[in-house]
Amino acid sequence: MVTYYPGSVDDVFRALADPSRRRLLDTLFSDDGQTLGQLTAQFDDDMTRFGVMKHLRVLEVSGLVVTRRDGRQKRHYLNPVPIQQMHDRWIGKFRGRFTSALTDLKTRLEDGK
Amino acid sequence: MTDLRSVYQIYVKATPERVWEAITSPDMTKDYYFDSLVESDWRPGSDYAYKNADRTFDLIVGKVLEADPPRRLVQTFSGRWEEGMLADPPTRVTWEIEQMGEACKLTLVHDQFESETMTYEQVNGGWSVILSSLKTLVETGKPMVVGEPAAEVAAS
């Protein structure tokens, strides 16, 4: 049995490949925790409520958007963790080197070498 | 305007008990939570603190509000690593662990920020690093930050 978990790299890239979905993420980045109604209102005539719903669904599958119930309302939050994981995959291994290089430099300076 | 609240989520291939251990044990936080050591008896009402590596300084302090191992932990959160944060009122952090097949859905909610305080600015970004590192540690048994890749060390 294959259990499906959101947030695979394919899902994240697919979600980010669409300009409307990137705009939705931008909107949540500047004001997190919006309802479907609030999000739809920000897109005026560019996107219907149905269009916003459809894109939010793709963003949820990718793990980039997480929803929480707040009383009767469902709020949408930007989840940056999948992007952090991509960062860790291709950039993270250099972080240790940079840190160790700085530590070496500090040691050398303190030892007066 | 929406209340200030941040939500982070990650799937970790491990048991809820193992994820709970990662959150509450200093032997594990030192390898994914900015080298800090968490200390508490994890009873509701008790204090907890994340201490720096030689235990001379508390980076984060607070109280345990709810503890339901291995599913839910709620705590107050007062960051102390920048002087400007000391004046900020305590915020709230909720950890939720939900088993999904052979993995766990780990959700972290940080809320009850009074406004866009220094604490709010400081923690944004940090949680992604922490959760991503926690996943790596729990799934591989090794911390994420590595030194020189083995092959290059061997070649030099």
Side-chain angles (χ1 to χ4, degrees):
Chain A
M1 190 191 78
V2 176
T3 314
Y4 183 76
Y5 306 110
S8 78
V9 175
D10 286 347
D11 290 339
V12 173
F13 275 106
R14 189 164 67 94
L16 291 173
D18 181 273
S20 298
R21 288 197 284 273
R22 291 197 297 272
R23 262 186 73 197
L24 274 168
L25 291 178
D26 288 336
T27 308
L28 290 175
F29 182 67
S30 60
D31 190 7
D32 213 3
Q34 297 187 65
T35 61
L36 175 61
Q38 288 171 318
L39 287 167
T40 306
Q42 302 212 29
F43 283 87
D44 295 324
D45 301 331
D46 296 352
M47 231 194 295
T48 62
R49 188 179 170 91
F50 181 78
V52 173
M53 270 173 68
K54 193 185 68 175
H55 286 306
L56 282 175
R57 180 72 203 130
V58 178
L59 288 166
E60 275 187 60
V61 167
S62 74
L64 290 166
V65 165
V66 173
T67 61
R68 301 278 295 178
R69 285 243 157 244
D70 187 10
R72 289 175 57 190
Q73 292 184 315
K74 187 175 165 191
R75 299 195 174 279
H76 300 79
Y77 294 90
L78 169 60
N79 178 30
V81 182
I83 295 169
Q84 182 68 42
Q85 288 178 272
M86 288 204 286
H87 172 278
D88 292 344
R89 177 168 170 177
W90 287 297
I91 302 174
K93 71 173 180 176
F94 300 109
R95 188 168 62 187
R97 285 196 208 181
F98 184 61
T99 312
S100 60
L102 284 177
T103 311
D104 289 350
L105 177 65
K106 183 171 180 286
T107 310
R108 269 184 285 143
L109 291 173
E110 285 172 354
D111 290 352
K113 285 175 193 163
Chain B
M1 191 60 205
T2 348
D3 291 338
L4 289 176
R5 177 198 278 165
S6 301
V7 181
Y8 305 87
Q9 200 166 76
I10 195 164
Y11 287 77
V12 184
K13 205 168 179 183
T15 61
E17 288 77 11
R18 183 70 179 148
V19 175
W20 180 270
E21 190 189 357
I23 296 166
T24 55
S25 112
D27 288 342
M28 295 186 75
T29 56
K30 72 177 169 57
D31 286 333
Y32 75 88
Y33 202 117
F34 298 115
D35 305 324
S36 70
L37 303 160
V38 75
E39 286 182 356
S40 178
D41 63 13
W42 303 111
R43 293 198 187 108
S46 291
D47 292 328
Y48 79 89
Y50 287 87
K51 295 172 176 292
N52 68 339
D54 57 7
R55 292 188 164 86
T56 51
F57 183 75
D58 292 342
L59 297 160
I60 298 160
V61 297
K63 284 199 180 299
V64 179
L65 300 175
E66 282 178 51
D68 178 17
R71 282 181 293 272
R72 185 176 158 84
L73 178 66
V74 187
Q75 52 197 162
T76 66
F77 177 108
S78 296
R80 295 276 182 91
W81 65 88
E82 284 283 342
E83 205 182 337
M85 301 168 81
L86 299 178
D88 293 344
T91 55
R92 183 176 68 178
V93 168
T94 303
W95 302 82
E96 293 169 359
I97 305 167
E98 191 184 336
Q99 188 156 17
M100 311 273 284
E102 52 186 11
C104 289
K105 180 165 80 175
L106 174 61
T107 307
L108 186 137
V109 181
H110 197 160
D111 60 4
Q112 297 191 346
F113 296 97
E114 186 187 59
S115 59
E116 292 193 7
T117 55
M118 186 181 233
T119 302
Y120 181 74
E121 288 168 13
Q122 286 276 326
V123 299
N124 267 313
W127 284 124
S128 301
V129 177
I130 288 168
L131 294 180
S132 184
S133 308
L134 181 156
K135 176 184 168 77
T136 303
L137 177 66
V138 169
E139 291 184 358
T140 69
K142 290 182 192 129
M144 188 168 66
V145 175
V146 292
E148 297 285 320
E152 292 186 29
V153 171
S156 62

PDB file of all heavy atoms in Angstrom, chain B residues 29-50:
ATOM      1  N   THR B  29      17.278  17.897  20.636  1.00  0.00           N
ATOM      2  CA  THR B  29      17.180  19.314  20.222  1.00  0.00           C
ATOM      3  C   THR B  29      18.551  19.898  19.882  1.00  0.00           C
ATOM      4  O   THR B  29      18.663  20.752  19.017  1.00  0.00           O
ATOM      5  CB  THR B  29      16.504  20.207  21.297  1.00  0.00           C
ATOM      6  OG1 THR B  29      17.207  20.090  22.529  1.00  0.00           O
ATOM      7  CG2 THR B  29      15.046  19.823  21.485  1.00  0.00           C
ATOM      8  N   LYS B  30      19.600  19.401  20.542  1.00  0.00           N
ATOM      9  CA  LYS B  30      20.936  19.955  20.247  1.00  0.00           C
ATOM     10  C   LYS B  30      21.332  19.726  18.788  1.00  0.00           C
ATOM     11  O   LYS B  30      22.156  20.457  18.252  1.00  0.00           O
ATOM     12  CB  LYS B  30      21.995  19.386  21.200  1.00  0.00           C
ATOM     13  CG  LYS B  30      22.366  17.933  20.956  1.00  0.00           C
ATOM     14  CD  LYS B  30      23.479  17.513  21.917  1.00  0.00           C
ATOM     15  CE  LYS B  30      23.715  16.009  21.929  1.00  0.00           C
ATOM     16  NZ  LYS B  30      24.024  15.413  20.632  1.00  0.00           N
ATOM     17  N   ASP B  31      20.723  18.720  18.156  1.00  0.00           N
ATOM     18  CA  ASP B  31      21.083  18.418  16.772  1.00  0.00           C
ATOM     19  C   ASP B  31      20.142  19.002  15.721  1.00  0.00           C
ATOM     20  O   ASP B  31      20.327  18.769  14.531  1.00  0.00           O
ATOM     21  CB  ASP B  31      21.163  16.895  16.580  1.00  0.00           C
ATOM     22  CG  ASP B  31      22.418  16.318  17.216  1.00  0.00           C
ATOM     23  OD1 ASP B  31      23.415  17.067  17.331  1.00  0.00           O
ATOM     24  OD2 ASP B  31      22.395  15.138  17.611  1.00  0.00           O
ATOM     25  N   TYR B  32      19.096  19.706  16.135  1.00  0.00           N
ATOM     26  CA  TYR B  32      18.248  20.331  15.108  1.00  0.00           C
ATOM     27  C   TYR B  32      17.703  21.699  15.499  1.00  0.00           C
ATOM     28  O   TYR B  32      17.161  22.416  14.667  1.00  0.00           O
ATOM     29  CB  TYR B  32      17.077  19.394  14.709  1.00  0.00           C
ATOM     30  CG  TYR B  32      15.960  19.317  15.727  1.00  0.00           C
ATOM     31  CD1 TYR B  32      14.904  20.228  15.699  1.00  0.00           C
ATOM     32  CD2 TYR B  32      15.961  18.354  16.731  1.00  0.00           C
ATOM     33  CE1 TYR B  32      13.892  20.186  16.637  1.00  0.00           C
ATOM     34  CE2 TYR B  32      14.946  18.302  17.673  1.00  0.00           C
ATOM     35  CZ  TYR B  32      13.916  19.214  17.621  1.00  0.00           C
ATOM     36  OH  TYR B  32      12.924  19.180  18.555  1.00  0.00           O
ATOM     37  N   TYR B  33      17.809  22.076  16.770  1.00  0.00           N
ATOM     38  CA  TYR B  33      17.176  23.309  17.240  1.00  0.00           C
ATOM     39  C   TYR B  33      18.270  24.309  17.631  1.00  0.00           C
ATOM     40  O   TYR B  33      18.489  24.609  18.794  1.00  0.00           O
ATOM     41  CB  TYR B  33      16.283  22.975  18.438  1.00  0.00           C
ATOM     42  CG  TYR B  33      15.165  23.959  18.753  1.00  0.00           C
ATOM     43  CD1 TYR B  33      13.834  23.557  18.672  1.00  0.00           C
ATOM     44  CD2 TYR B  33      15.429  25.264  19.152  1.00  0.00           C
ATOM     45  CE1 TYR B  33      12.807  24.441  18.978  1.00  0.00           C
ATOM     46  CE2 TYR B  33      14.405  26.149  19.454  1.00  0.00           C
ATOM     47  CZ  TYR B  33      13.101  25.725  19.369  1.00  0.00           C
ATOM     48  OH  TYR B  33      12.074  26.593  19.681  1.00  0.00           O
ATOM     49  N   PHE B  34      18.996  24.773  16.613  1.00  0.00           N
ATOM     50  CA  PHE B  34      20.068  25.756  16.802  1.00  0.00           C
ATOM     51  C   PHE B  34      21.002  25.391  17.969  1.00  0.00           C
ATOM     52  O   PHE B  34      21.327  26.243  18.793  1.00  0.00           O
ATOM     53  CB  PHE B  34      19.483  27.162  16.986  1.00  0.00           C
ATOM     54  CG  PHE B  34      18.702  27.637  15.791  1.00  0.00           C
ATOM     55  CD1 PHE B  34      17.337  27.870  15.867  1.00  0.00           C
ATOM     56  CD2 PHE B  34      19.331  27.818  14.561  1.00  0.00           C
ATOM     57  CE1 PHE B  34      16.611  28.294  14.740  1.00  0.00           C
ATOM     58  CE2 PHE B  34      18.624  28.246  13.437  1.00  0.00           C
ATOM     59  CZ  PHE B  34      17.261  28.483  13.536  1.00  0.00           C
ATOM     60  N   ASP B  35      21.387  24.119  18.034  1.00  0.00           N
ATOM     61  CA  ASP B  35      22.354  23.612  19.026  1.00  0.00           C
ATOM     62  C   ASP B  35      21.884  23.774  20.478  1.00  0.00           C
ATOM     63  O   ASP B  35      22.694  23.768  21.397  1.00  0.00           O
ATOM     64  CB  ASP B  35      23.722  24.318  18.905  1.00  0.00           C
ATOM     65  CG  ASP B  35      24.293  24.230  17.502  1.00  0.00           C
ATOM     66  OD1 ASP B  35      24.097  23.181  16.862  1.00  0.00           O
ATOM     67  OD2 ASP B  35      24.924  25.208  17.047  1.00  0.00           O
ATOM     68  N   SER B  36      20.584  23.951  20.705  1.00  0.00           N
ATOM     69  CA  SER B  36      20.137  24.226  22.066  1.00  0.00           C
ATOM     70  C   SER B  36      19.683  22.948  22.778  1.00  0.00           C
ATOM     71  O   SER B  36      19.386  21.934  22.161  1.00  0.00           O
ATOM     72  CB  SER B  36      18.978  25.228  22.039  1.00  0.00           C
ATOM     73  OG  SER B  36      17.830  24.608  21.501  1.00  0.00           O
ATOM     74  N   LEU B  37      19.638  23.031  24.113  1.00  0.00           N
ATOM     75  CA  LEU B  37      19.228  21.896  24.944  1.00  0.00           C
ATOM     76  C   LEU B  37      17.921  22.258  25.627  1.00  0.00           C
ATOM     77  O   LEU B  37      17.852  23.232  26.378  1.00  0.00           O
ATOM     78  CB  LEU B  37      20.294  21.644  26.011  1.00  0.00           C
ATOM     79  CG  LEU B  37      21.705  21.378  25.477  1.00  0.00           C
ATOM     80  CD1 LEU B  37      22.742  21.639  26.563  1.00  0.00           C
ATOM     81  CD2 LEU B  37      21.815  19.959  24.963  1.00  0.00           C
ATOM     82  N   VAL B  38      16.862  21.482  25.364  1.00  0.00           N
ATOM     83  CA  VAL B  38      15.580  21.798  25.984  1.00  0.00           C
ATOM     84  C   VAL B  38      15.501  21.071  27.328  1.00  0.00           C
ATOM     85  O   VAL B  38      15.958  19.936  27.466  1.00  0.00           O
ATOM     86  CB  VAL B  38      14.392  21.421  25.074  1.00  0.00           C
ATOM     87  CG1 VAL B  38      14.130  19.928  25.030  1.00  0.00           C
ATOM     88  CG2 VAL B  38      13.120  22.154  25.518  1.00  0.00           C
ATOM     89  N   GLU B  39      14.952  21.771  28.339  1.00  0.00           N
ATOM     90  CA  GLU B  39      14.851  21.151  29.659  1.00  0.00           C
ATOM     91  C   GLU B  39      13.505  21.447  30.297  1.00  0.00           C
ATOM     92  O   GLU B  39      13.071  22.591  30.330  1.00  0.00           O
ATOM     93  CB  GLU B  39      15.974  21.663  30.577  1.00  0.00           C
ATOM     94  CG  GLU B  39      17.303  21.056  30.197  1.00  0.00           C
ATOM     95  CD  GLU B  39      18.447  21.474  31.101  1.00  0.00           C
ATOM     96  OE1 GLU B  39      18.232  22.305  32.009  1.00  0.00           O
ATOM     97  OE2 GLU B  39      19.558  20.975  30.874  1.00  0.00           O
ATOM     98  N   SER B  40      12.835  20.371  30.756  1.00  0.00           N
ATOM     99  CA  SER B  40      11.563  20.486  31.461  1.00  0.00           C
ATOM    100  C   SER B  40      11.159  19.108  31.950  1.00  0.00           C
ATOM    101  O   SER B  40      11.665  18.094  31.462  1.00  0.00           O
ATOM    102  CB  SER B  40      10.471  21.019  30.527  1.00  0.00           C
ATOM    103  OG  SER B  40       9.217  21.086  31.190  1.00  0.00           O
ATOM    104  N   ASP B  41      10.211  19.058  32.914  1.00  0.00           N
ATOM    105  CA  ASP B  41       9.620  17.749  33.233  1.00  0.00           C
ATOM    106  C   ASP B  41       8.341  17.536  32.419  1.00  0.00           C
ATOM    107  O   ASP B  41       7.688  16.515  32.535  1.00  0.00           O
ATOM    108  CB  ASP B  41       9.359  17.615  34.744  1.00  0.00           C
ATOM    109  CG  ASP B  41       8.336  18.632  35.261  1.00  0.00           C
ATOM    110  OD1 ASP B  41       7.643  19.275  34.432  1.00  0.00           O
ATOM    111  OD2 ASP B  41       8.231  18.796  36.488  1.00  0.00           O
ATOM    112  N   TRP B  42       7.984  18.526  31.601  1.00  0.00           N
ATOM    113  CA  TRP B  42       6.858  18.462  30.665  1.00  0.00           C
ATOM    114  C   TRP B  42       5.518  18.199  31.339  1.00  0.00           C
ATOM    115  O   TRP B  42       4.647  17.578  30.754  1.00  0.00           O
ATOM    116  CB  TRP B  42       7.141  17.447  29.542  1.00  0.00           C
ATOM    117  CG  TRP B  42       8.395  17.791  28.809  1.00  0.00           C
ATOM    118  CD1 TRP B  42       9.568  17.095  28.835  1.00  0.00           C
ATOM    119  CD2 TRP B  42       8.625  18.939  27.977  1.00  0.00           C
ATOM    120  NE1 TRP B  42      10.514  17.743  28.070  1.00  0.00           N
ATOM    121  CE2 TRP B  42       9.964  18.874  27.543  1.00  0.00           C
ATOM    122  CE3 TRP B  42       7.837  20.020  27.577  1.00  0.00           C
ATOM    123  CZ2 TRP B  42      10.529  19.852  26.709  1.00  0.00           C
ATOM    124  CZ3 TRP B  42       8.402  20.985  26.754  1.00  0.00           C
ATOM    125  CH2 TRP B  42       9.724  20.891  26.324  1.00  0.00           C
ATOM    126  N   ARG B  43       5.363  18.676  32.571  1.00  0.00           N
ATOM    127  CA  ARG B  43       4.046  18.598  33.216  1.00  0.00           C
ATOM    128  C   ARG B  43       3.345  19.942  33.034  1.00  0.00           C
ATOM    129  O   ARG B  43       3.998  20.987  33.103  1.00  0.00           O
ATOM    130  CB  ARG B  43       4.188  18.315  34.721  1.00  0.00           C
ATOM    131  CG  ARG B  43       4.744  16.943  35.012  1.00  0.00           C
ATOM    132  CD  ARG B  43       4.431  16.561  36.469  1.00  0.00           C
ATOM    133  NE  ARG B  43       5.102  15.316  36.782  1.00  0.00           N
ATOM    134  CZ  ARG B  43       6.167  15.219  37.591  1.00  0.00           C
ATOM    135  NH1 ARG B  43       6.645  16.290  38.187  1.00  0.00           N
ATOM    136  NH2 ARG B  43       6.728  14.050  37.811  1.00  0.00           N
ATOM    137  N   PRO B  44       2.022  19.933  32.841  1.00  0.00           N
ATOM    138  CA  PRO B  44       1.307  21.204  32.720  1.00  0.00           C
ATOM    139  C   PRO B  44       1.599  22.093  33.932  1.00  0.00           C
ATOM    140  O   PRO B  44       1.569  21.621  35.066  1.00  0.00           O
ATOM    141  CB  PRO B  44      -0.167  20.789  32.673  1.00  0.00           C
ATOM    142  CG  PRO B  44      -0.137  19.396  32.112  1.00  0.00           C
ATOM    143  CD  PRO B  44       1.123  18.771  32.646  1.00  0.00           C
ATOM    144  N   GLY B  45       1.920  23.352  33.664  1.00  0.00           N
ATOM    145  CA  GLY B  45       2.257  24.289  34.737  1.00  0.00           C
ATOM    146  C   GLY B  45       3.745  24.417  34.985  1.00  0.00           C
ATOM    147  O   GLY B  45       4.196  25.381  35.591  1.00  0.00           O
ATOM    148  N   SER B  46       4.531  23.417  34.513  1.00  0.00           N
ATOM    149  CA  SER B  46       5.979  23.462  34.724  1.00  0.00           C
ATOM    150  C   SER B  46       6.648  24.449  33.769  1.00  0.00           C
ATOM    151  O   SER B  46       6.115  24.766  32.717  1.00  0.00           O
ATOM    152  CB  SER B  46       6.598  22.086  34.483  1.00  0.00           C
ATOM    153  OG  SER B  46       6.218  21.189  35.489  1.00  0.00           O
ATOM    154  N   ASP B  47       7.831  24.884  34.184  1.00  0.00           N
ATOM    155  CA  ASP B  47       8.656  25.720  33.308  1.00  0.00           C
ATOM    156  C   ASP B  47       9.407  24.836  32.324  1.00  0.00           C
ATOM    157  O   ASP B  47       9.626  23.648  32.577  1.00  0.00           O
ATOM    158  CB  ASP B  47       9.707  26.484  34.137  1.00  0.00           C
ATOM    159  CG  ASP B  47       9.055  27.528  35.045  1.00  0.00           C
ATOM    160  OD1 ASP B  47       8.015  28.083  34.651  1.00  0.00           O
ATOM    161  OD2 ASP B  47       9.599  27.774  36.134  1.00  0.00           O
ATOM    162  N   TYR B  48       9.807  25.447  31.212  1.00  0.00           N
ATOM    163  CA  TYR B  48      10.757  24.790  30.316  1.00  0.00           C
ATOM    164  C   TYR B  48      11.708  25.863  29.814  1.00  0.00           C
ATOM    165  O   TYR B  48      11.404  27.068  29.899  1.00  0.00           O
ATOM    166  CB  TYR B  48      10.046  24.097  29.133  1.00  0.00           C
ATOM    167  CG  TYR B  48       9.643  25.062  28.043  1.00  0.00           C
ATOM    168  CD1 TYR B  48      10.517  25.358  26.996  1.00  0.00           C
ATOM    169  CD2 TYR B  48       8.419  25.720  28.079  1.00  0.00           C
ATOM    170  CE1 TYR B  48      10.170  26.266  26.013  1.00  0.00           C
ATOM    171  CE2 TYR B  48       8.067  26.633  27.104  1.00  0.00           C
ATOM    172  CZ  TYR B  48       8.943  26.912  26.074  1.00  0.00           C
ATOM    173  OH  TYR B  48       8.615  27.817  25.099  1.00  0.00           O
ATOM    174  N   ALA B  49      12.855  25.432  29.310  1.00  0.00           N
ATOM    175  CA  ALA B  49      13.800  26.390  28.709  1.00  0.00           C
ATOM    176  C   ALA B  49      14.627  25.698  27.648  1.00  0.00           C
ATOM    177  O   ALA B  49      14.925  24.499  27.766  1.00  0.00           O
ATOM    178  CB  ALA B  49      14.720  26.967  29.790  1.00  0.00           C
ATOM    179  N   TYR B  50      14.955  26.436  26.607  1.00  0.00           N
ATOM    180  CA  TYR B  50      15.976  26.006  25.646  1.00  0.00           C
ATOM    181  C   TYR B  50      17.251  26.728  26.038  1.00  0.00           C
ATOM    182  O   TYR B  50      17.301  27.959  25.999  1.00  0.00           O
ATOM    183  CB  TYR B  50      15.591  26.385  24.217  1.00  0.00           C
ATOM    184  CG  TYR B  50      14.485  25.548  23.621  1.00  0.00           C
ATOM    185  CD1 TYR B  50      13.154  25.878  23.800  1.00  0.00           C
ATOM    186  CD2 TYR B  50      14.796  24.425  22.855  1.00  0.00           C
ATOM    187  CE1 TYR B  50      12.140  25.112  23.251  1.00  0.00           C
ATOM    188  CE2 TYR B  50      13.790  23.648  22.299  1.00  0.00           C
ATOM    189  CZ  TYR B  50      12.465  23.992  22.495  1.00  0.00           C
ATOM    190  OH  TYR B  50      11.471  23.234  21.937  1.00  0.00           O
TER     191      TYR B  50
END
